[in-house]
């Protein structure tokens, strides 16, 4: 069978497309009869006024009935045109009938010697011509409109409804709060079919698959009420309704998968395909078409990864998290490869508002320029093994900038750089720090490495070794997010660190609860006993600052005195 004829066979077979768009809007029937009524009244008024010798008195003025002929006949002509515009074929038929019926009456009038009907006769012919022209033009426009509408909801290759049609149908069902499942079906290894047989034959294969699935949907053999669509490429969408249990939904989808087991023959070559199927359900999994499609797509991707020979999976939140994870990982890689990672600097102060230094915080922009928050990407970068590349980038960029700024301003402020667990434990870390210092010309005493507390817990020995080497070089070391891990005071005592950074989660409640105040006071006291200086993170208001002053905190970092800023702004602060 030729591709074209098969396409037309599939195209628009499903009446569900109308579901998606609703019944086509048409003018109401009463309007039809109203226009005919007005025409008839107008027509008989024309007859009446054209033969009457009477007068109409309006505000003392005498107006001859005959002079109203033009008004009433214009009204009739308007009705004819409106009938054609609003009721197309039937409007035209009725208009023609009414005008034709008026001809014998005119002829009778002429025989009676009433020649005043002659201009009316010509007006009628002109109106009829205009009505005919309007009708022909509207028919043509209607055809184009229909074609455009069909194209808008049709996928070109298979002739099946497209994604837009499915989305419209989903919107309609969501409005009615009717449950449905959306399945995304991706044909496995279709690329090799494309490469081996060529695009034309591959398209033919897609059409064969589309028509098989359409048959299943139309004869109801899946056991559910289904709407088959093609998303383009080797991806199809099926919207399923009226299932009673998860098993039935699964069986219905298996029915579509089973249809692929039958051989596909294209250009005398036969082959069998399989598909990865992912599905998500309204309202259980998502409440709008976009989320539902995203989730069904996630399930499909997972199905593809699970079994390359065909697998059906229902969406679960775990899949989405993994997808988000992979997406973020991809963004981080692309930012690192394309030098889109940069840093901002947040100032740290002593309690008398003297600048102590800055913490360098990594930032990166997405390919479209959107700023991504470290809270979103740091955990992913850590898990994906990319955080050391981020650390490395920030270490080199920030020291280079800070070295120059310090030379220009003569400031003795400190630059604090975060180091992840992975990065710190790498044998090359110390060399990296040395290189960064020598390249930037920054003095080791003006660099501080912040290590998250959890690093210590995992490998005390290694951490101690690394920290000792840093301090031997003259670099400061700070323990970041202190209080959030499981610090053992016994080993903390042995670390040659300079600063404990109290995590902002303790500071947040400082102004409201006595417990929080006592806790932070205890940390500060113990820290001081161990000869650490204490820096509190996340100070947002004056009360928190007042409490910290009272309980003997040494330094603060927070929005109250300074948000993370661009290097240029930080340079101005250094200079001042
Ligand atoms: P952190 O090292 O504890 O950094 C302090 C975080 O607290 C920063 O968030 C900072 O913007 C935020 N902060 C400071 N003051 C306030 C405040 O008053 N209120 C609030 N709500 N937040 C405040 P940011 O920049 O989002 O960084 C989050 C975490 O990401 C950092 O926590 C750090 O652990 C990590 N990170 C950032 N840059 C790097 C990096 O270059 N390497 C590594 N390994 N981790 C980084
Ligand atoms: Mg930090
Ligand atoms: Mg912190």
């Amino acid at each position: 069978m030729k591709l074209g004829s098969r396409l037309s066979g599939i195209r628009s077979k499903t009446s569900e497309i109308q579901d998606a768009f609703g019944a086509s809007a048409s003018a109401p029937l009463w309007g039809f009869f109203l226009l005919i009524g007005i025409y008839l009244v107008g027509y008989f008024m024309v007859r009446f006024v054209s033969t009457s010798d009477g007068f109409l008195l309006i505000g003392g003025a005498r107006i001859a009935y005959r002079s109203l002929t033009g008004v009433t006949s214009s009204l009739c002509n308007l009705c004819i045109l409106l009938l054609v515009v609003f009721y197309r074929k039937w409007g035209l038929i009725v208009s023609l009938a009414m005008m034709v019926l008026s001809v014998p009456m005119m002829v009778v009038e002429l025989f009676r010697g009433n020649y005043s009907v002659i201009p009316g006769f010509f007006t009628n012919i002109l109106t009829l011509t205009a009505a005919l022209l309007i009708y022909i033009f509207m028919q043509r426009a209607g055809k184009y409109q229909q074609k455009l509408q069909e194209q808008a909801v049709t996928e070109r290759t298979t002739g099946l409804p497209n994604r837009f049609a499915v989305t419209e149908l989903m919107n309609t069902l969501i409005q009615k709060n009717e449950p449905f499942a959306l399945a995304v079906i991706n044909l496995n290894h279709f690329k090799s079919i494309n490469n081996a047989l060529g695009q034309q034959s591959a398209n033919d294969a897609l059409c064969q698959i589309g028509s098989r699935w359409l048959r299943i949907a139309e004869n109801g053999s899946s056991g559910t009420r289904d709407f088959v669509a093609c998303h383009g490429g080797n991806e199809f969408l099926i919207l399923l309704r009226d299932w009673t249990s998860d098993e039935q939904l699964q069986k219905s989808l298996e029915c579509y998968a089973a249809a692929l087991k039958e051989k596909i023959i294209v250009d005398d070559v036969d082959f069998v395909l399989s598909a990865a199927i992912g599905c998500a359900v309204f309202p259980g999994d998502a409440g709008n078409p976009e989320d539902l499609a995203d989730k069904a797509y996630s399930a499909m991707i997972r199905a593809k990864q699970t079994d390359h020979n065909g697998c059906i999976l229902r969406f679960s939140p775990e899949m989405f998290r993994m997808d988000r994870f992979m997406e973020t990982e991809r963004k981080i890689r692309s930012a690192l490869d394309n030098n889109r990672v940069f840093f901002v600097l947040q100032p740290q102060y002593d309690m008398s508002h003297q600048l102590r230094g800055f913490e360098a915080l990594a930032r990166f922009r997405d390919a479209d320029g959107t700023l991504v928050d470290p809270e979103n990407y740091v955990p992913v970068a850590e898990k994906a093994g990319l955080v050391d590349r981020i650390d490395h980038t920030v270490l080199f960029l920030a020291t280079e900038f800070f070295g120059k700024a310090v030379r220009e301003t003569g400031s003795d402020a400190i630059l604090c750089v975060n180091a992840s667990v992975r990065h710190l434990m790498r044998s090359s870390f110390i060399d990296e720090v040395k290189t960064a210092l020598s390249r930037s010309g920054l003095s080791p005493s003006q660099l501080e490495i912040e290590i998250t507390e959890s690093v210590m817990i995992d490998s005390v020995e290694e951490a101690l070794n690394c920290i000792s080497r840093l301090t031997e070089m003259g670099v400061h070391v700070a323990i970041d997010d202190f209080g959030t891990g499981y610090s053992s005071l016994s080993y903390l005592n042995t670390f040659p660190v300079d600063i404990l950074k109290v995590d902002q989660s303790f500071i947040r409640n400082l102004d409201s609860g006595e417990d929080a105040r006592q806790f932070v006071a205890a940390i500060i006291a113990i820290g001081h006993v161990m000869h650490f200086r204490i820096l509190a993170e996340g100070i947002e208001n004056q009360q928190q600052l007042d409490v910290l002053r009272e309980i003997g905190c040494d330094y603060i970092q927070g929005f109250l005195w300074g948000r993370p800023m661009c290097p240029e702004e930080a340079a101005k602060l250094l200079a001042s």
Side-chain angles (χ1 to χ4, degrees), residues 346 359 362-363 374 391 418 480-481 504 537-540 558-559:
Q346 188 177 24
E359 177 179 3
R363 297 285 184 268
D391 286 350
N418 291 281
D480 202 356
D481 304 330
Q504 58 175 286
E537 290 185 282
I539 319 309
E540 291 183 348
F559 294 171

Side-chain angles (χ1 to χ4, degrees), residues 341-344 346 359-363 373-379 382 387-388 390-395 417-421 423 450 452 480-481 501 503-504 508 537-541 544 557-564:
V341 174
F342 62 100
F343 65 96
V344 288
Q346 188 177 24
E359 177 179 3
L361 296 159
R363 297 285 184 268
D373 220 45
E375 267 180 61
N376 286 333
Y377 74 76
V378 166
E382 270 169 2
V387 77
D388 39 358
I390 297 177
D391 286 350
H392 179 90
T393 310
V394 173
L395 174 70
V417 178
N418 291 281
S420 66
V421 188
H423 200 194
E450 291 190 12
T452 316
D480 202 356
D481 304 330
K501 292 186 79 177
D503 190 64
Q504 58 175 286
R508 216 166 281 147
E537 290 185 282
I539 319 309
E540 291 183 348
N541 59 49
Q544 293 168 341
Q557 176 183 342
F559 294 171
L560 178 67
W561 278 352
R563 285 179 178 261

Side-chain angles (χ1 to χ4, degrees), residues 155-461:
E155 196 277 323
R156 277 172 171 260
T157 310
T158 57
L160 284 171
N162 61 10
R163 163 100 189 234
F164 176 65
V166 182
T167 308
E168 289 297 307
L169 180 54
M170 282 198 276
N171 277 326
T172 311
L173 297 176
I174 289 170
Q175 261 170 22
K176 291 193 221 159
N177 207 16
E178 190 181 326
F180 63 89
L182 176 74
V184 175
I185 308 187
N186 186 288
L187 299 171
N188 293 322
H189 315 296
F190 197 75
K191 208 172 166 205
S192 24
I193 304 277
N194 223 335
N195 292 342
L197 302 180
Q199 200 181 357
Q200 185 74 5
S201 304
N203 285 351
D204 204 358
L206 287 175
C207 289
Q208 287 192 34
I209 293 163
S211 61
R212 278 183 203 178
W213 285 344
L214 196 64
R215 224 173 297 130
I216 295 176
E218 287 190 338
N219 64 26
S221 55
S222 62
T224 45
R225 191 149 58 100
D226 308 332
F227 178 79
V228 178
C230 185
H231 189 228
N234 60 336
E235 218 153 81
F236 290 82
L237 299 167
I238 300 182
L239 197 144
L240 306 100
R241 280 179 276 175
D242 298 348
W243 74 94
T244 49
S245 62
D246 286 353
E247 290 74 39
Q248 197 192 353
L249 182 60
Q250 176 78 12
K251 274 207 180 111
S252 178
L253 290 172
E254 278 167 12
C255 187
Y256 286 95
L260 291 177
K261 293 198 174 119
E262 200 184 307
K263 271 186 209 160
I264 294 164
I265 305 170
V266 180
D267 295 339
D268 298 328
V269 179
D270 57 79
F271 53 91
V272 174
L273 282 170
S274 68
I277 305 179
C279 96
V281 169
F282 169 81
D285 295 327
N288 64 63
E290 294 76 30
D291 285 355
L292 211 63
D294 274 1
K295 289 178 173 175
Y297 193 80
S298 291
M300 184 276 288
I301 296 284
R302 199 67 54 233
K304 224 174 176 59
Q305 288 162 353
T306 310
D307 183 353
H308 292 289
N309 291 318
C311 175
I312 302 170
L313 285 182
R314 163 107 186 251
F315 169 79
S316 74
E318 184 52 31
M319 293 171 178
F320 215 41
R321 274 197 286 279
M322 284 178 73
D323 258 16
R324 283 271 152 85
F325 183 95
M326 281 154 67
E327 173 74 2
T328 311
E329 183 187 335
R330 193 191 53 70
K331 283 183 184 172
I332 300 170
R333 265 182 215 287
S334 138
L336 281 164
D337 294 344
N338 296 293
N339 302 326
R340 274 189 266 111
V341 174
F342 62 100
F343 65 96
V344 288
L345 294 167
Q346 188 177 24
Q348 300 175 343
Y349 293 94
D350 69 10
M351 302 315 275
S352 58
H353 210 160
Q354 290 295 313
L355 187 70
R356 172 186 187 255
F358 292 91
E359 177 179 3
L361 296 159
R363 297 285 184 268
F364 80 78
R365 284 190 194 282
D366 211 349
D368 62 7
T370 353
L371 205 65
V372 186
D373 220 45
E375 267 180 61
N376 286 333
Y377 74 76
V378 166
V380 176
E382 270 169 2
K383 284 201 188 105
L386 292 169
V387 77
D388 39 358
R389 282 184 66 190
I390 297 177
D391 286 350
H392 179 90
T393 310
V394 173
L395 174 70
F396 277 80
L397 288 176
T399 47
E400 191 185 333
F401 160 78
F402 209 73
K404 190 164 166 260
V406 160
R407 274 196 301 283
E408 282 169 7
T409 58
S411 165
D412 59 355
I414 288 172
L415 171 72
C416 309
V417 178
N418 291 281
S420 66
V421 188
R422 282 175 54 98
H423 200 194
L424 185 78
M425 295 305 164
R426 272 195 13 199
S427 52
S428 58
F429 180 68
I430 299 292
D431 289 338
E432 274 177 42
V433 174
K434 279 185 187 159
T435 316
L437 286 173
S438 69
R439 268 196 209 167
S440 62
L442 188 68
S443 147
S445 63
Q446 284 186 277
L447 180 67
E448 186 167 275
I449 303 289
E450 291 190 12
I451 306 160
T452 316
E453 194 194 346
S454 58
V455 186
M456 315 293 171
I457 316 320
D458 290 346
S459 39
V460 178
E461 286 303 311

